[in-house]
Amino acid sequence: MELCSRTLTTLLHRTSPSSSSSSSSSNSLLRATTCNYATPSKSSNYFNLSSSHYHNHHVLHHFQQQPFLFHHYHGSFSPFTVSASSSSAAASSTEEKMDRLPAELNVTETQEPNSRVRLQVEVPPVVCEDCYKRVISEFTKQAKVPGFRPGKPVPESILVGYVGRKNVQKATIESILRRTLPHAMTSVTRKALPDSVRIVTKFSELEKTYSSQGSLRYDVLADIVPEIKWVPDNGYKNLKIVVEIDSDIDAQKASEQEFKRRHKSIGALKVVADRGLQAGDVVVIDISATTIDQDESKIKNIPSAESKGFNFDTEDGYRILPGFLDSIIGIRPGETKSFPLVFPETWNQENLRGVHAQFTVECKELFYRDLPELDDSIADKLIPGCTTVQQVKDLLLQRCQEVEQSAREQATDNAILDQISKMVEVDIPQSLFEEQGRQLYGASLLEIQAKMNLNDQQLASLSSQKAVNEYLEHQKDNIRNLIKQNLAVGDIYRRENLQFSTEDLVKEVENSITEFKRQNQEYDEERVKDQVQEILEGAKVLEWLREHAEIQYVTR
């Protein structure tokens, strides 16, 4: 029934982040960037990762059968890993492994949209000839040509005839690409995103060029680490944040409601026989609703507001459509009431805002609660181990205060992240967008599997290329916003020279690995370390921003 002020969207989209929400799942900084390799930091509530992301063999195995979900990347990439030090180390390592060429390449670099570069590479004939000689030498070692001992020199014409000129040509082109690509990439190696580099020239075109000219030309596309522009410059240093706090998390109010709920749970429901509905009763009702229109032909049913056998606790009347409870007070079993109501403009379901509706409610059953006296004798039933009602209330208040504090911190972090994402201009690479989106989708699907135990057919349908593409399109703004947040946080970490202790890193890595072992999950220790480092970096940035921001709290 959709009388409650909360509505459900599509199952997968419901579990996606929303840039406007302040819940822990909305703007959690690294929720998307830690898919399968690291467990959450126990001390960092803003990186609140559900364990269902990691501990479902069935879904992970199914994803592994769907290579498009992890196209280009075989692990988890986060902008935080693209630091100056790591990029430099990777570049140095690549340069050390490069094979020396007999001549220089001619490389033309062109900037393209979405932080992408195109490299037009011309390989001179002398390099191609050197690669050809290496291929012939390798074939000589491996080919078993009749009449010649293995590994002994074979005349080139005989060897080429035996292996096949086409095969030699293909092998030579592959050798040229393998040897020259690292050299061609030298200008962008330090800023190219992992696994985003690809040769876009068709192999058939390479064969034509090589066979006719003895040289080779090919184009390479690579996504690079995007540059961030702050508007205004260094604007993150003077943040003014307004944090909206949901009144539902007020500790005093929440603890009172929880105490009342527990008291009701140990009472008994008894049938009302001699009166109508009163506040505090529980009633079972059938509900139907239609729009109101002077033109009867335009009257429509409102399916989302209809329900059969709805168990309505009148003490929860504040959660439903305003005026609904007042309209059914006094109704008796077997009686039907019809009344008009208007959906408020603040209603979550946009298509119902301001709609005039005619409701029809039939009372099926009516109960009242027979509650035990509120004395110390029931304390242990309310919370095991408690001896007094006051002790129960104090403990509930303490728990709710902890929840309130956590929620306030989460809401503050979300507001800060939302603010800084609006202060940066960045050209997001397509490969980064797709990877981030696929990780979000994978995490959402794992959560659903944990709750609903999807079968193979359902998993196959939800893991299809079409389903993923629809998700990426539907969540385009949220994905881009999350990437901007991540990049902004990484940039602040470097700008402010923030640091965390090696001891913290070691401790968190050990905790994560212990959790993987406890769950009998495979893990890559280096990936775990990288992602724990991302979490600690993010925590330091948020801590720094909270200390330097002007924060105002308002209750909604």
Side-chain angles (χ1 to χ4, degrees):
M1 169 174 166
E2 283 297 338
L3 289 178
C4 293
S5 60
R6 296 181 182 180
T7 58
L8 300 180
T9 58
T10 306
L11 194 57
L12 276 169
H13 296 158
R14 179 188 62 189
T15 58
S16 305
S18 169
S19 58
S20 61
S21 172
S22 63
S23 67
S24 61
S25 62
S26 60
N27 285 327
S28 183
L29 183 60
L30 295 179
R31 171 174 286 274
T33 57
T34 49
C35 186
N36 296 325
Y37 302 107
T39 53
S41 168
K42 305 294 185 187
S43 60
S44 303
N45 67 306
Y46 21 79
F47 305 131
N48 183 23
L49 307 178
S50 169
S51 60
S52 63
H53 291 188
Y54 315 100
H55 308 313
N56 194 308
H57 286 289
H58 188 52
V59 177
L60 291 177
H61 173 75
H62 190 85
F63 274 179
Q64 290 163 2
Q65 306 308 311
Q66 308 293 328
F68 63 84
L69 280 172
F70 302 103
H71 183 57
H72 294 319
Y73 299 99
H74 299 290
S76 171
F77 169 73
S78 165
F80 294 137
T81 63
V82 189
S83 61
S85 58
S86 62
S87 298
S88 177
S92 299
S93 176
T94 301
E95 290 167 2
E96 289 175 2
K97 295 179 181 178
M98 286 195 300
D99 187 8
R100 187 178 300 276
L101 299 178
E104 293 292 328
L105 305 178
N106 184 9
V107 181
T108 303
E109 180 178 326
T110 306
Q111 296 291 329
E112 295 196 351
N114 302 117
S115 297
R116 175 174 291 176
V117 296
R118 178 181 293 269
L119 303 176
Q120 296 172 301
V121 185
E122 292 187 18
V123 184
V126 64
V127 175
C128 294
E129 179 63 22
D130 188 62
C131 290
Y132 173 80
K133 291 178 179 179
R134 290 193 177 198
V135 168
I136 291 297
S137 176
E138 192 63 28
F139 274 130
T140 299
K141 296 176 183 178
Q142 297 183 10
K144 297 180 180 179
V145 183
F148 294 89
R149 293 180 179 179
K152 294 297 181 180
V154 179
E156 184 177 318
S157 59
I158 296 177
L159 180 64
V160 171
Y162 176 75
V163 175
R165 187 169 298 278
K166 273 284 187 183
N167 292 330
V168 172
Q169 180 175 290
K170 289 180 184 293
T172 301
I173 293 173
E174 291 176 0
S175 175
I176 295 170
L177 296 177
R178 185 168 56 250
R179 289 184 65 194
T180 62
L181 183 58
H183 292 270
M185 290 292 299
T186 300
S187 63
V188 297
T189 296
R190 297 177 185 274
K191 54 184 178 179
L193 296 182
D195 300 326
S196 71
V197 180
R198 60 190 185 279
I199 297 173
V200 294
T201 307
K202 293 181 180 180
F203 199 84
S204 58
E205 295 178 7
L206 297 175
E207 288 181 301
K208 290 179 182 178
T209 304
Y210 177 73
S211 61
S212 62
Q213 301 178 21
S215 62
L216 208 64
R217 292 191 300 272
Y218 62 90
D219 285 4
V220 179
L221 287 180
D223 290 340
I224 59 175
V225 178
E227 294 183 2
I228 290 180
K229 179 182 179 182
W230 288 92
V231 182
D233 190 32
N234 292 326
Y236 66 87
K237 293 186 176 182
N238 300 294
L239 292 181
K240 294 184 178 180
I241 304 294
V242 176
V243 182
E244 293 187 347
I245 303 296
D246 196 324
S247 60
D248 288 346
I249 70 169
D250 178 81
Q252 187 64 48
K253 179 180 177 181
S255 65
E256 291 172 357
Q257 290 177 345
E258 178 61 17
F259 180 83
K260 185 180 294 186
R261 185 195 68 79
R262 289 175 181 248
H263 185 209
K264 290 193 297 185
S265 70
I266 62 175
L269 286 178
K270 296 187 176 181
V271 176
V272 174
D274 56 351
R275 63 171 174 80
L277 176 68
Q278 295 178 355
D281 291 341
V282 175
V283 62
V284 180
I285 51 180
D286 288 347
I287 305 169
S288 60
T290 63
T291 57
I292 295 176
D293 199 300
Q294 292 182 346
D295 185 349
E296 293 186 2
S297 64
K298 295 182 179 180
I299 295 176
K300 298 178 180 179
N301 291 332
I302 306 177
S304 61
E306 298 181 349
S307 181
K308 293 288 186 182
F310 176 59
N311 286 273
F312 176 37
D313 185 345
T314 56
E315 290 190 352
D316 294 333
Y318 65 93
R319 295 181 178 177
I320 64 171
L321 184 64
F324 182 84
L325 174 57
D326 291 339
S327 299
I328 64 172
I329 288 293
I331 195 171
R332 293 171 176 265
E335 185 179 351
T336 299
K337 284 193 174 185
S338 185
F339 48 89
L341 290 176
V342 179
F343 287 89
E345 292 297 334
T346 56
W347 198 251
N348 281 5
Q349 213 169 341
E350 292 185 14
N351 65 315
L352 291 180
R353 292 175 183 172
V355 171
H356 291 250
Q358 186 71 25
F359 284 86
T360 301
V361 176
E362 181 183 356
C363 179
K364 311 297 288 185
E365 297 178 273
L366 182 59
F367 304 92
Y368 73 94
R369 283 193 172 88
D370 185 14
L371 300 177
E373 288 294 326
L374 275 175
D375 55 38
D376 293 343
S377 64
I378 66 169
D380 187 64
K381 294 180 181 179
L382 297 174
I383 296 182
C386 289
T387 56
T388 67
V389 169
Q390 187 59 47
Q391 186 181 3
V392 171
K393 291 182 177 180
D394 291 344
L395 186 55
L396 289 177
L397 179 59
Q398 179 184 341
R399 292 177 181 178
C400 289
Q401 286 172 337
E402 292 172 356
V403 172
E404 179 183 8
Q405 180 61 27
S406 178
R408 286 174 69 89
E409 291 175 357
Q410 182 68 67
T412 302
D413 291 341
N414 289 340
I416 289 174
L417 291 170
D418 186 58
Q419 182 80 346
I420 63 174
S421 71
K422 295 175 181 177
M423 302 174 71
V424 295
E425 294 179 357
V426 58
D427 202 10
I428 297 175
Q430 183 63 22
S431 61
L432 180 55
F433 170 82
E434 292 179 358
E435 172 65 6
Q436 186 78 88
R438 287 188 174 95
Q439 290 186 15
L440 280 172
Y441 186 84
S444 298
L445 189 51
L446 285 169
E447 286 184 353
I448 292 172
Q449 169 66 359
K451 295 175 182 177
M452 301 180 61
N453 194 24
L454 304 175
N455 59 37
D456 287 344
Q457 185 176 358
Q458 290 170 321
L459 276 176
S461 175
L462 291 174
S463 303
S464 67
Q465 181 72 63
K466 179 181 178 182
V468 176
N469 288 342
E470 288 177 352
Y471 177 88
L472 294 179
E473 178 60 30
H474 188 274
Q475 293 296 321
K476 178 170 57 179
D477 292 341
N478 289 334
I479 295 169
R480 292 179 62 85
N481 188 57
L482 183 60
I483 293 172
K484 288 174 68 176
Q485 290 175 4
N486 287 342
L487 291 170
V489 168
D491 191 54
I492 294 171
Y493 186 85
R494 290 186 289 273
R495 282 174 174 239
E496 299 303 324
N497 296 315
L498 301 178
Q499 294 181 342
F500 54 84
S501 69
T502 303
E503 181 181 346
D504 287 343
L505 177 61
V506 172
K507 181 180 178 180
E508 290 294 344
V509 169
E510 289 176 350
N511 289 341
S512 295
I513 291 176
T514 298
E515 181 66 14
F516 274 111
K517 290 180 178 178
R518 189 179 70 82
Q519 296 288 343
N520 294 320
Q521 295 289 304
E522 295 182 0
Y523 63 91
D524 182 321
E525 187 167 346
E526 283 303 310
R527 292 188 188 279
V528 172
K529 182 178 179 180
D530 287 343
Q531 294 193 340
V532 168
Q533 179 171 326
E534 294 164 21
I535 291 174
L536 294 175
E537 288 181 2
K540 281 295 181 183
V541 170
L542 286 170
E543 179 183 348
W544 188 92
L545 290 172
R546 284 196 301 270
E547 291 176 354
H548 292 79
E550 181 181 320
I551 302 175
Q552 177 186 357
Y553 293 94
V554 296
T555 303
R556 60 184 177 187

